[in-house]
């Protein structure tokens, strides 16, 4: 594909349910990032994958959040036992190799926890 | 504390006019500074990336400046168009041993509205 894609574009769920968000980075990009954007807030770093290195999970807000990247391509962000404060836009980005390069963002998944 | 502050929070200008958005940061050690444009309902799009040794960079009608001594940056938009209506986000990257890291500190953005 031409850019980073994310699915679903919108997700409404009930408090306590688990959700999975998917990110397809640009083909050939080895670096992948997940961010969270809450209303009126700046983007908040969640997790970073670089090639086969161990991911930087330092931004994950709690152990209810986890992410995987299979085969160095597609990534899924899982939120278990969702809470209302998890409601936000979850953005994925990729870059070719290094963190110093341009990041290309997907359109985001808008998550609403009722 | 590493912070990025942007001003103004919002701005309304008439089509064809110029405007300048400000970014002040306290991030240290500093690696690079980026400006992004985020249309409503979309992901951010990169406009410029500047390292500490660069003090200006242009991308079409967008010109970013950087003063690493005063830790200030600005984004100047020339001859604004309706399509420039968006949120403009300033982002500063932390450095580690002189190299870039994935630690990006995001400002909350300036919301620009260009009116006909």
């Amino acid at each position: 594909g031409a850019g980073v894609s994310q699915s679903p574009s919108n997700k409404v769920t009930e408090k306590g349910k688990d959700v999975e968000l998917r990110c397809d980075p640009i083909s050939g990009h080895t670096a992948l990032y997940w961010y969270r954007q809450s209303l009126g807030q700046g983007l908040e770093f969640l997790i970073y994958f670089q090639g086969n290195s161990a991911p930087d999970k330092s931004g994950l807000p709690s152990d209810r959040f986890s992410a995987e990247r299979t085969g160095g391509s597609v990534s899924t962000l899982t939120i278990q036992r969702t809470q209302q404060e998890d409601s936000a836009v979850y953005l994925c980005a990729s870059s070719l190799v290094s963190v110093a390069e341009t990041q290309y963002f997907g359109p985001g998944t808008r998550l609403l926890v009722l | 504390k590493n912070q990025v502050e942007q001003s103004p929070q919002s701005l309304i200008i008439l089509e064809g006019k110029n405007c300048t958005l400000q970014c002040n940061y306290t991030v240290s050690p500093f690696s690079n500074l980026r400006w992004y444009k985020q249309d409503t309902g979309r992901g951010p799009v990169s406009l410029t990336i500047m390292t500490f040794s660069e003090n200006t960079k242009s991308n079409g009608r967008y010109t970013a400046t950087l003063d690493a001594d005063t830790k200030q940056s600005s984004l100047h938009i020339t001859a604004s168009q309706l399509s420039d209506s968006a949120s403009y986000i300033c982002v500063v990257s932390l450095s580690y041993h002189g190299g870039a890291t994935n630690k990006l500190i995001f400002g909350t953005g300036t919301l620009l509205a260009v009116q006909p």
Side-chain angles (χ1 to χ4, degrees), chain A residues 94-113:
Chain A
S94 70
S95 60
L96 185 58
V97 175
S98 112
V99 296
E101 296 168 336
T102 298
Q103 289 179 309
Y104 296 87
F105 281 83
T109 292
R110 283 147 197 79
L111 175 65
L112 177 61
V113 182

Side-chain angles (χ1 to χ4, degrees), chain B residues 21-42:
Chain B
L21 314 180
Q22 301 292 342
C23 174
N24 296 337
Y25 61 93
T26 58
V27 177
S28 181
F30 166 90
S31 176
N32 60 66
L33 185 144
R34 311 166 186 222
W35 282 94
Y36 287 90
K37 177 187 178 189
Q38 186 174 22
D39 292 313
T40 301
R42 303 284 188 95

Side-chain angles (χ1 to χ4, degrees), chain B residues 9-58:
Chain B
Q9 279 191 320
S10 61
L11 181 62
I12 301 173
I13 62 173
L14 293 177
E15 185 179 12
K17 298 296 186 183
N18 303 335
C19 67
T20 301
L21 314 180
Q22 301 292 342
C23 174
N24 296 337
Y25 61 93
T26 58
V27 177
S28 181
F30 166 90
S31 176
N32 60 66
L33 185 144
R34 311 166 186 222
W35 282 94
Y36 287 90
K37 177 187 178 189
Q38 186 174 22
D39 292 313
T40 301
R42 303 284 188 95
V45 173
S46 180
L47 296 176
T48 61
I49 299 178
M50 290 183 291
T51 63
F52 67 88
S53 61
E54 298 174 288
N55 54 28
T56 187
K57 184 163 280 189
S58 291

Side-chain angles (χ1 to χ4, degrees), chain A residues 33 35 37 40-43 45 48 56 58 91 99-103 105-107 110, chain B residues 32 34 36 38 40-46 49 89 100-104 106-108:
Chain A
Y33 318 75
Y35 296 95
Q37 187 173 33
Q41 304 292 316
L43 272 73
F45 166 76
Y48 165 64
D56 177 355
S58 61
L91 289 159
V99 296
E101 296 168 336
T102 298
Q103 289 179 309
F105 281 83
R110 283 147 197 79
Chain B
N32 60 66
R34 311 166 186 222
Y36 287 90
Q38 186 174 22
T40 301
R42 303 284 188 95
V45 173
S46 180
I49 299 178
I89 304 171
T101 72
N102 61 291
K103 305 298 185 191
L104 301 182
F106 288 78
T108 55

Side-chain angles (χ1 to χ4, degrees), chain B residues 92-108:
Chain B
V92 179
S93 170
L94 279 165
S95 170
Y96 181 71
H97 288 324
T101 72
N102 61 291
K103 305 298 185 191
L104 301 182
I105 314 298
F106 288 78
T108 55

